[in-house]
Amino acid sequence: MSALLSTTCAVPAVGAVLTAALPAGSTGARRRTTKAVALGVSAVTLALAAVVATQFDPHGDRYQLTESYSWIRSFGITFSLGVDGIGAVLALLTAVLVPMVMLASWHDADPPSLPADGQEGPGSAGPDGTVDPGTIEGRRRTQGFFALVLAVEAMVIVSFYATDVFVFYVFFEAMLIPMYFLIGGFGDRAGGPESARQRSYAAVKFLLYNLLGGLVMLAAVIGFYVIAQDQGFGTFDLQTLTSAIADGRLQLSGTAEKALFLGFFFAFAVKAPLWPLHTWLPNAMGEATAGTAVLITAVVDKVGTFAMLRYCLGLFPHASKTFAPAILVLSLIGIVYGALLAVGQKDIKRLVAYASISHFGFIIMGIFALTSQGQSGATLYMVNHGLSTAAWMLVAGFLISRRGSRLIADYGGVQKVAPVLAGTFLIGSLATLSLPGLAPFVSEFLVLVGTFTRYPAIGIVATLGIVLAALYALLLYQRTMTGPVKEGVHAIPDLKVRELAVVAPLVALTVLLGVYPKPLTDLVNPSVNATLSQVHETDPAPAHPVAATPGGEQK
């Protein structure tokens, strides 16, 4: 039995403990040591996640590199890990983004009244100045921030690799704790004198919404276990349960299956987030640092959509088909609603948050269209949205840290004083509106095609989201980057080497996967086909079959 998956999960977890235990201090040298250790741990995790992805055989078993360790024997709970193509890709996305987040947040945890390692940065000063570097809280801010980021990474990767329902639930909920402290304790300092109170409100709202979803899911997990145990399946092992459901050895009544499905789906829809359970996201992303905002929307929220594929469709196939039309309507509302509110935003970070709500509508729509194109597109969308939104948000964070304001109206003419920053922001904006040649276009196209083949009306209306995306993305660029240089913008410096090291890989991957997405599709398609077979669905036949010539050739 290989220990590759458990090692990949353990490295960031151990790194979080090690980072938190490093000696406290307010000197630049000690802060740099802490950051270097955390960044090194994230680099090792990236290497391991890449090995997992490369060792996965798309033509082999659905779950590979499996591991199982007894945990709570009396309830049939084991610490079981196994990776399919979707989990491998999303874990790799997480491992790619975390080092980028760390580099982008290099100064976010520096005490506000201290210079940020001798240079200006987004964490070097703040209007509220709530942290005294002479206190233990001030001296340990750096250790705390980077340890929390590594803890989130470990819990998210376990969630993608877990093949035990209870283990997944534990880490699905546990990741809320470090995220709560990252939002509330290390939030954006460009929010003005009330920023501390606003951060606290956003963190509590994030926690309460997701805890409510988790409690509902816990009731469903317990209910499912009781029903399964009564039929001789006293286990939480996902492969055992899905196999028993598929061949009829484990049967759920129609009412029970629908109730359990809703319990699981509610928790995942809060995390995703799906309209109307989305309202925590704009607050959390608006008040968090840019790096934490990327963790929220590009990493943590993907666990919700991933779980819809693995758990909702795998454990409750009939209920999934029953509720699919209603979920598609909610997704469609989220697409249009999020895009419309993004158009009207005055705050850069809240605009990105509402754009993400619209994008998650596309992802969920692709999942519940129950077609191979839709689900392949949804999986690719999770990856491509993570890369493009990370680039967009992090460049926005660099801009906000220089000007000290999140308001769109405070910017103008940035491209004249910081052309590289403006250029990378443009690429992020174009990726957000799914420009052909950039990664999000491929996934959005597949989602729309897959939806249209089964639900043409919903597919047609969903294209409105593309039009609105062009509106909010290009308007944001026009208002901030073009026109005369506004007061306070003249002194904005261009991107530095560290910031270019963050943005360049994200831009490169966005372009590469837009031109050549085959490596990802080869990994995820077998898992998508297996998921469709679990819900007993096949792609709809073409409305107009291809005619054949008398010689047998198709034309």
Side-chain angles (χ1 to χ4, degrees):
M1 180 174 63
S2 169
L4 180 58
L5 297 186
S6 57
T7 303
T8 308
C9 299
V11 166
V14 173
V17 175
L18 176 63
T19 303
L22 288 174
S26 57
T27 64
R30 288 190 174 182
R31 295 202 304 276
R32 285 193 294 271
T33 299
T34 297
K35 297 168 186 178
V37 168
L39 184 62
V41 170
S42 69
V44 173
T45 305
L46 171 57
L48 290 170
V51 171
V52 170
T54 55
Q55 287 197 3
F56 180 82
D57 179 8
H59 305 293
D61 296 336
R62 178 172 183 183
Y63 294 103
Q64 301 176 26
L65 304 173
T66 55
E67 304 176 37
S68 184
Y69 307 95
S70 181
W71 187 11
I72 308 176
R73 193 183 303 273
S74 58
F75 290 98
I77 300 173
T78 58
F79 190 84
S80 299
L81 303 175
V83 65
D84 64 357
I86 299 172
V89 167
L90 293 178
L92 182 58
L93 170 69
T94 301
V96 167
L97 290 179
V98 167
M100 302 298 104
V101 166
M102 287 185 176
L103 281 172
S105 307
W106 204 246
H107 301 306
D108 284 353
D110 293 338
S113 54
L114 285 177
D117 291 354
Q119 57 180 309
E120 188 66 26
S124 61
D128 50 338
T130 54
V131 177
D132 179 359
T135 65
I136 187 63
E137 293 83 3
R139 294 195 301 271
R140 296 213 66 90
R141 277 178 62 85
T142 304
Q143 288 93 332
F145 179 85
F146 287 93
L148 290 170
V149 172
L150 287 173
V152 171
E153 180 179 29
M155 293 174 185
V156 170
I157 291 177
V158 172
S159 299
F160 290 140
Y161 290 164
T163 55
D164 183 281
V165 178
F166 188 81
V167 171
F168 170 82
Y169 172 77
V170 168
F171 287 92
F172 179 82
E173 286 294 281
M175 69 181 70
L176 301 179
I177 298 172
M179 286 306 308
Y180 167 79
F181 288 108
L182 283 171
I183 298 169
F186 302 91
D188 186 13
R189 296 171 185 170
E194 295 296 315
S195 59
R197 183 184 62 82
Q198 293 166 354
R199 290 199 305 267
S200 177
Y201 171 78
V204 170
K205 188 174 183 179
F206 162 82
L207 187 64
L208 290 180
Y209 266 66
N210 284 276
L211 279 178
L212 175 61
L215 289 173
V216 173
M217 181 181 172
L218 177 60
V221 168
I222 294 172
F224 185 84
Y225 176 78
V226 170
I227 294 173
Q229 188 181 43
D230 288 343
Q231 299 183 40
F233 294 93
T235 180
F236 287 95
D237 182 72
L238 180 65
Q239 297 183 72
T240 300
L241 294 171
T242 53
S243 175
I245 290 171
D247 60 23
R249 289 178 292 126
L250 174 56
Q251 298 182 350
L252 302 174
S253 68
T255 302
E257 183 177 355
K258 291 174 185 176
L260 295 174
F261 169 87
L262 290 175
F264 276 70
F265 179 78
F266 180 79
F268 304 152
V270 171
K271 181 94 72 177
L274 174 66
W275 183 92
L277 305 172
H278 67 282
T279 60
W280 63 267
L281 184 65
N283 295 99
M285 288 185 65
E287 299 305 325
T289 63
T292 301
V294 169
L295 284 180
I296 294 170
T297 190
V299 175
V300 172
D301 288 354
K302 297 301 188 299
V303 178
T305 48
F306 163 80
M308 291 178 188
L309 275 168
R310 175 170 286 188
Y311 296 95
C312 286
L313 300 186
L315 296 176
F316 314 108
H318 302 296
S320 296
K321 290 194 287 187
T322 300
F323 288 108
I327 295 170
L328 288 173
V329 171
L330 294 179
S331 302
L332 184 60
I333 294 172
I335 291 169
V336 178
Y337 171 87
L340 283 173
L341 264 65
V343 171
Q345 288 304 304
K346 300 178 181 179
D347 183 309
I348 297 175
K349 292 170 74 175
R350 289 179 70 89
L351 185 152
V352 178
Y354 280 109
S356 291
I357 291 169
S358 182
H359 294 150
F360 275 103
F362 278 109
I363 294 171
I364 298 171
M365 186 173 73
I367 292 171
F368 284 93
L370 300 179
T371 61
S372 60
Q373 300 100 325
Q375 292 191 354
S376 293
T379 304
L380 291 179
Y381 215 134
M382 294 184 218
V383 177
N384 296 336
H385 170 264
L387 295 172
S388 62
T389 300
W392 203 31
M393 173 58 85
L394 291 177
V395 175
F398 297 148
L399 179 65
I400 291 167
S401 70
R402 286 158 162 75
R403 179 69 175 84
S405 173
R406 304 198 309 249
L407 297 179
I408 297 172
D410 289 339
Y411 296 90
V414 174
Q415 67 180 11
K416 296 178 181 178
V417 298
V420 177
L421 187 154
T424 54
F425 193 74
L426 176 61
I427 294 173
S429 301
L430 295 176
T432 296
L433 60 85
S434 298
L435 183 75
L438 298 178
F441 170 78
V442 179
S443 45
E444 198 163 280
F445 177 79
L446 286 173
V447 166
L448 289 172
V449 169
T451 303
F452 182 83
T453 58
R454 195 179 294 278
Y455 301 96
I458 290 177
I460 291 171
V461 177
T463 58
L464 181 60
I466 301 175
V467 178
L468 293 173
L471 188 60
Y472 63 68
L474 295 179
L475 280 177
L476 175 62
Y477 182 83
Q478 181 188 45
R479 291 168 178 171
T480 56
M481 302 296 161
T482 65
V485 180
K486 285 197 173 182
E487 182 181 356
V489 174
H490 294 84
I492 289 179
D494 214 335
L495 294 183
K496 301 172 183 176
V497 174
R498 171 180 59 85
E499 295 164 334
L500 284 171
V502 171
V503 177
L506 298 175
V507 170
L509 287 171
T510 301
V511 174
L512 176 63
L513 294 177
V515 176
Y516 189 66
K518 188 176 183 296
L520 289 187
T521 57
D522 286 347
L523 279 175
V524 304
N525 282 341
S527 297
V528 165
N529 293 332
T531 301
L532 283 176
S533 69
Q534 287 179 321
V535 294
H536 310 293
E537 283 287 1
T538 57
D539 290 331
H544 302 286
V546 178
T549 64
E553 295 180 355
Q554 292 182 336
K555 63 178 182 179

